[in-house]
Amino acid sequence: MGGYITRSCEEIMTTVYKPIEFVIDGLIAQGLYILAGAPKVGKSWLALDMCLSIAKGEKILGLKTSQGTALYLCLEDSYARIQNRLYELTDEPTEMLYFSVMSDPIGGGLEEQIEGFVSEHCGLKIVFIDTLQMVRSDTDSSYGSDYKELSVLKALADKLEIAIIVVHHTRKCKDTDPFNMISGSTGLSGCVDGSMVLIETKRGSRNAKLFCVGRDIENAEINLQFDSDLKKWVVTDEPTAPKSKDNIFLAALYVYIKKKVDFSGTASELIEKLKSVSDETFYSNRVTRDLVRNGYTLRKYGIDFQYKRTRNCRLIILHYDRERDSSDSRSTSEVTVNRLTLKV
């Protein structure tokens, strides 16, 4: 029973954990992902565009990226072909994107090679392995074998706190569920944190749909078209971002506590206080959730909070420290939290 640890429901629900960091906003977070598609459908163009966008801190498919170092293992290509593709996409090289056309297999040195790269290059955000078949050490495609091999990469991604994307093929046979078309057993999809399947509406049409599913992302279907001039996939129906209630709550809380500095009371009492700075309706049974989920953001804005259980209720204790407020709002008459602006 060594290493067996349990935590109470209350402990988990009131602990501020490090928030999930997205490498591509709403699409790829830290963890292991599959990018699958038919041969020559354009997976490698999409992978290269993602790497370049992350290395340069530019948008990809209309989504923001977290800028950092990217490593692309192009195991079916040559450096000459990589050069040609790079010049099709950009004429400005970046020092934050690296390539390799060779690697050891999973369990045979690949993990050590990636860890060695991390030790020599700071700020690694993402690793693309193109393709999965080139690093497999087991020819067996049973559920157990597939899951076991990918679990090695999953553990590595979690350990290094990076995103690892394995490029893979789909089966020739069609299926109403695009994720069932990923070649191999369901052990592949079961192990990864997310799957993306690129399927052309008609073979050779250069119109496609990117199906996305994952533990930390919402299911999505993104309509794409391959721009032959730009040599990249572009979104044809960019979705609008939903309004975030958390953003409004954080902004209202910041405006209030910046004026009052301290607060001690119940969730219901805090909501009553927030009515003085916002007309938005908040709910007492969601206050704890919003405070915990946004704990890191609150600290950035100089706000500390804790809970104190009494005989009759649970108190929320808040304190604002102006000196630790790293935002641009501490010396202005406006407050912007997660792109939402309120007047102080």
Side-chain angles (χ1 to χ4, degrees):
M1 298 291 288
Y4 182 72
I5 300 173
T6 62
R7 293 186 177 180
S8 70
C9 176
E10 181 171 1
E11 180 184 3
I12 291 174
M13 292 183 69
T14 57
T15 298
V16 176
Y17 295 101
K18 184 177 181 180
I20 296 169
E21 181 181 348
F22 280 88
V23 185
I24 299 177
D25 194 21
L27 186 64
I28 298 176
Q30 294 173 345
L32 179 64
Y33 291 76
I34 283 181
L35 170 59
K40 308 301 185 292
V41 74
K43 303 185 297 297
S44 295
W45 282 111
L46 180 57
L48 180 57
D49 194 17
M50 286 181 173
C51 285
L52 267 173
S53 299
I54 291 166
K56 293 185 175 184
E58 298 174 346
K59 285 187 175 183
I60 175 73
L61 304 181
L63 303 171
K64 290 185 177 180
T65 61
S66 176
Q67 187 174 16
T69 302
L71 173 61
Y72 191 177
L73 306 182
C74 308
L75 306 179
E76 293 183 342
D77 286 315
S78 64
Y79 287 120
R81 183 177 291 126
I82 296 169
Q83 182 190 71
N84 291 335
R85 288 182 175 177
L86 282 170
Y87 273 119
E88 292 283 0
L89 289 171
T90 182
D91 56 1
E92 287 291 335
T94 170
E95 295 182 356
M96 300 180 72
L97 175 55
Y98 294 83
F99 298 87
S100 179
V101 295
M102 296 179 64
S103 78
D104 290 331
I106 299 172
L110 175 61
E111 308 88 78
E112 290 76 12
Q113 288 175 331
I114 293 175
E115 288 195 74
F117 180 87
V118 170
S119 66
E120 297 174 0
H121 304 83
C122 62
L124 181 65
K125 293 286 187 179
I126 196 165
V127 176
F128 268 89
I129 301 174
D130 190 357
T131 62
L132 173 61
Q133 197 61 37
M134 296 295 290
V135 295
R136 300 203 67 174
S137 55
D138 196 339
T139 56
D140 183 17
S141 61
S142 65
Y143 181 96
S145 177
D146 285 345
Y147 197 99
K148 183 179 179 180
E149 274 203 315
L150 261 66
S151 65
V152 174
L153 295 179
K154 160 69 175 164
L156 181 64
D158 292 342
K159 176 184 177 181
L160 300 179
E161 297 184 339
I162 62 173
I164 297 179
I165 319 296
V166 290
V167 180
H168 195 42
H169 297 301
T170 52
R171 299 187 182 95
K172 291 183 178 180
C173 57
K174 291 187 177 294
D175 195 291
T176 54
D177 184 344
F179 301 103
N180 287 339
M181 295 174 62
I182 297 174
S183 182
S185 75
T186 53
L188 297 179
S189 299
C191 181
V192 298
D193 295 293
S195 299
M196 296 172 286
V197 181
L198 183 65
I199 299 179
E200 278 189 304
T201 53
K202 182 181 179 181
R203 187 62 173 168
S205 67
R206 310 314 275 166
N207 291 306
K209 185 169 288 189
L210 184 66
F211 296 87
C212 310
V213 67
R215 295 187 175 109
D216 301 312
I217 64 174
E218 294 187 9
N219 292 6
E221 298 179 9
I222 306 173
N223 290 313
L224 303 175
Q225 183 178 51
F226 190 78
D227 190 311
S228 299
D229 294 325
L230 298 176
K231 297 298 182 185
K232 61 172 63 181
W233 290 99
V234 295
V235 178
T236 57
D237 58 347
E238 187 172 348
T240 56
K243 184 180 180 182
S244 172
K245 286 281 187 178
D246 285 353
N247 292 359
I248 300 173
F249 174 77
L250 287 184
L253 178 67
Y254 181 67
V255 171
Y256 171 76
I257 203 65
K258 185 179 178 182
K259 292 180 178 179
K260 300 298 183 180
V261 180
D262 292 293
F263 170 83
S264 179
T266 65
S268 297
E269 290 169 343
L270 177 59
I271 287 174
E272 284 299 314
K273 297 294 185 182
L274 295 184
K275 288 180 180 179
S276 65
V277 297
S278 174
D279 295 330
E280 191 70 35
T281 300
F282 302 114
Y283 300 94
S284 58
N285 62 340
R286 297 178 185 173
V287 167
T288 299
R289 179 202 67 181
D290 293 342
L291 288 173
V292 171
R293 284 183 174 178
N294 296 285
Y296 271 71
T297 301
L298 291 175
R299 290 172 185 171
K300 172 185 173 184
Y301 284 84
I303 303 173
D304 291 316
F305 76 91
Q306 58 178 300
Y307 296 99
K308 183 178 180 181
R309 181 178 288 281
T310 67
R311 180 176 296 180
N312 299 319
C313 63
R314 178 188 291 163
L315 292 178
I316 297 171
I317 302 172
L318 298 167
H319 174 72
Y320 172 68
D321 186 344
R322 182 182 179 84
E323 297 302 317
R324 292 195 299 105
D325 187 348
S326 62
S327 72
D328 296 329
S329 306
R330 62 177 177 176
S331 58
T332 67
S333 60
E334 291 186 343
V335 175
T336 302
V337 179
N338 291 354
R339 299 184 297 276
L340 182 78
T341 302
L342 295 180
K343 293 285 186 181
V344 177

